[in-house]
Amino acid sequence: MQLKPINQQVVAVVGASSGIGRETALQFARRGAKLVVSARNESKLASLVDEIRTAGGEATAVVADVSVFEQVKAIADRTVEVYGRLDTWVHLPAVGIFATFDNTTPEEFKRVIDVSLMGQVYGAMAALPHLKRERQGALIHISSMEGLRSLPYQSAYSAAKHGIEGFLEAMRVELQHEGIPISVTSVKPAVINTPFWNNGLTKLGVKPSGIPPYYDPRLVADAILYVAENPTRDFLVGDAARALDALQRLSPELVDSLLLLVGFQAQRTNEPKSPDDRNNLYEPVPGDTRVDGDFSNLVIPSVSDWLAKNPALQLGAIASTAALAFLATQVFKEE
């Protein structure tokens, strides 16, 4: 399976008005891709298109709510109408509610599923016919480390992310069975410093926080551009995501114990916030086009992302670690 160089691609970025989506669109534009960008807020999209065009890039905006299939389909159709084809579909939108499960209403839980899971389903359904017609391309879905392990206070969001993993696995095998070379990737970030934590509905009485450490949203954008050129099944972003994956595989009970220790207090800031304060569960938050959130002081670098994008070096690091472990066992045996 081979994907086009980014400077030859037509890319749709859904959920592009702020955060990871906005940075991803800007990076695709800098690399020469033709873009269709989408979100719920027209003025925020307009500012992104202006930024891209001012820098010499090509971009078209489509306002859409991903919980409505016809609006998602219009993004894909508009991409083909303007640029003649679709090469890469990047789907990001998600909303969150921070509350215990028994303090979440059925309507709130369903809304998170409608946007964060069904929106992803609709994106794949809208893009797939165009990719199948071209018999090439990439579906890139932004999941989360919560697709591997659920967190307290985030039952609806975690359920949505687990659902993404389920439908992508089934679809990937079906495409392989048909012999259609479309790359299907799940990108699973750790905690990322975006406005997500500002915009979620909270019933905790305070503004929510991710469980540190935080990572730079540019790391996720870099990963998205990497898998747009290099077919990849799963790409975890952030050392913490890979550590959590390993621990969950080793012992879910151990992760339960760790979350009991840190998972509750670490998701609470000292800043009061009520459920009636501004949030994006049903309507977009106007005006906020930031890429970065409020937790830049907690952002750390990630070594494993660089290794994941350099497989030869990754194998070398594994081999070196294995060799050192073997030598160590020999030393202990001789002693």
Side-chain angles (χ1 to χ4, degrees), residues 11-138:
V11 181
V13 179
V14 186
S17 59
S18 64
I20 295 166
R22 191 178 188 94
E23 177 62 24
T24 298
L26 292 171
Q27 286 199 26
F28 270 116
R30 292 186 200 111
R31 293 274 299 274
K34 296 179 175 65
L35 285 166
V36 168
V37 293
S38 180
R40 290 183 291 177
N41 186 282
E42 186 173 7
S43 64
K44 290 160 73 170
L45 275 182
S47 72
L48 173 60
V49 170
D50 287 345
E51 187 173 350
I52 290 171
R53 290 177 177 172
T54 299
E58 293 187 54
T60 299
V62 178
V63 177
D65 182 334
V66 296
S67 67
V68 181
F69 174 69
E70 290 74 16
Q71 294 186 30
V72 182
K73 183 176 182 296
I75 303 168
D77 292 346
R78 180 63 174 160
T79 304
V80 175
E81 178 186 335
V82 174
Y83 297 116
R85 66 179 195 279
L86 171 65
D87 297 308
T88 297
W89 180 274
V90 183
H91 200 101
L92 296 109
V95 294
I97 174 170
F98 297 86
T100 57
F101 176 75
D102 61 357
N103 198 27
T104 305
T105 69
E107 294 77 18
E108 290 163 348
F109 201 104
K110 182 178 183 297
R111 177 60 179 173
V112 173
I113 296 298
D114 286 345
V115 174
S116 306
L117 172 56
M118 293 310 300
Q120 298 262 0
V121 171
Y122 295 158
M125 287 179 171
L128 198 54
H130 300 293
L131 298 177
K132 290 179 76 170
R133 186 174 59 249
E134 298 292 326
R135 296 193 65 82
Q136 62 84 39

Side-chain angles (χ1 to χ4, degrees), residues 199-216:
N199 295 336
L201 171 63
T202 178
K203 296 186 178 181
L204 306 180
V206 294
K207 173 182 161 182
S209 165
I211 301 173
Y214 282 78
Y215 296 95
D216 192 308

Side-chain angles (χ1 to χ4, degrees), residues 202 204-208 269-275 277:
T202 178
L204 306 180
V206 294
K207 173 182 161 182
T269 68
N270 295 321
E271 181 181 331
K273 186 173 183 180
S274 82
D277 286 340

Side-chain angles (χ1 to χ4, degrees), residues 6 25-26 33 114 121 138-139 142 144 186 197 325 330-331 335:
I6 284 173
L26 292 171
D114 286 345
V121 171
L139 282 170
I142 311 310
S144 168
S186 170
W197 314 103
Q330 298 307 304
V331 170
E335 292 180 353

Side-chain angles (χ1 to χ4, degrees), residues 24-327:
T24 298
L26 292 171
Q27 286 199 26
F28 270 116
R30 292 186 200 111
R31 293 274 299 274
K34 296 179 175 65
L35 285 166
V36 168
V37 293
S38 180
R40 290 183 291 177
N41 186 282
E42 186 173 7
S43 64
K44 290 160 73 170
L45 275 182
S47 72
L48 173 60
V49 170
D50 287 345
E51 187 173 350
I52 290 171
R53 290 177 177 172
T54 299
E58 293 187 54
T60 299
V62 178
V63 177
D65 182 334
V66 296
S67 67
V68 181
F69 174 69
E70 290 74 16
Q71 294 186 30
V72 182
K73 183 176 182 296
I75 303 168
D77 292 346
R78 180 63 174 160
T79 304
V80 175
E81 178 186 335
V82 174
Y83 297 116
R85 66 179 195 279
L86 171 65
D87 297 308
T88 297
W89 180 274
V90 183
H91 200 101
L92 296 109
V95 294
I97 174 170
F98 297 86
T100 57
F101 176 75
D102 61 357
N103 198 27
T104 305
T105 69
E107 294 77 18
E108 290 163 348
F109 201 104
K110 182 178 183 297
R111 177 60 179 173
V112 173
I113 296 298
D114 286 345
V115 174
S116 306
L117 172 56
M118 293 310 300
Q120 298 262 0
V121 171
Y122 295 158
M125 287 179 171
L128 198 54
H130 300 293
L131 298 177
K132 290 179 76 170
R133 186 174 59 249
E134 298 292 326
R135 296 193 65 82
Q136 62 84 39
L139 282 170
I140 302 172
H141 291 262
I142 311 310
S143 179
S144 168
M145 66 179 186
E146 291 187 56
L148 304 169
R149 169 68 210 203
S150 298
L151 299 181
Y153 291 151
Q154 297 191 54
S155 56
Y157 184 85
S158 293
K161 296 304 185 180
H162 273 70
I164 291 169
E165 302 306 317
F167 91 82
L168 289 184
E169 285 185 351
M171 180 177 60
R172 185 183 292 115
V173 176
E174 290 166 0
L175 289 170
Q176 291 171 354
H177 179 69
E178 292 181 61
I180 300 175
I182 294 171
S183 176
V184 179
T185 302
S186 170
V187 177
K188 301 178 180 66
V191 175
I192 307 298
N193 180 37
T194 71
F196 177 79
W197 314 103
N198 298 67
N199 295 336
L201 171 63
T202 178
K203 296 186 178 181
L204 306 180
V206 294
K207 173 182 161 182
S209 165
I211 301 173
Y214 282 78
Y215 296 95
D216 192 308
R218 291 154 194 84
L219 269 183
V220 189
D222 290 345
I224 292 168
L225 268 72
Y226 173 79
V227 301
E229 288 186 313
N230 301 275
T232 305
R233 180 189 179 95
D234 299 284
F235 197 107
L236 278 71
V237 180
D239 297 332
R242 294 180 176 88
L244 181 64
D245 181 38
L247 285 173
Q248 179 70 9
R249 291 171 188 269
L250 177 68
S251 172
E253 292 80 7
L254 174 59
V255 182
D256 289 347
S257 298
L258 291 172
L259 288 174
L260 282 169
L261 285 173
V262 303
F264 291 86
Q265 189 56 42
Q267 292 190 79
R268 304 169 65 94
T269 68
N270 295 321
E271 181 181 331
K273 186 173 183 180
S274 82
D276 298 324
D277 286 340
R278 187 180 73 171
N279 66 78
N280 69 353
L281 187 61
Y282 293 102
E283 299 292 337
V285 174
D288 192 350
T289 60
R290 294 178 299 159
V291 168
D292 299 286
D294 294 342
F295 300 96
S296 296
N297 60 313
L298 299 176
V299 170
I300 66 170
S302 176
V303 175
S304 57
D305 287 65
W306 183 76
L307 287 172
K309 288 180 276 192
N310 294 273
L313 293 174
Q314 185 180 26
L315 290 172
I318 293 169
S320 298
T321 302
L324 287 171
F326 175 76
L327 289 173

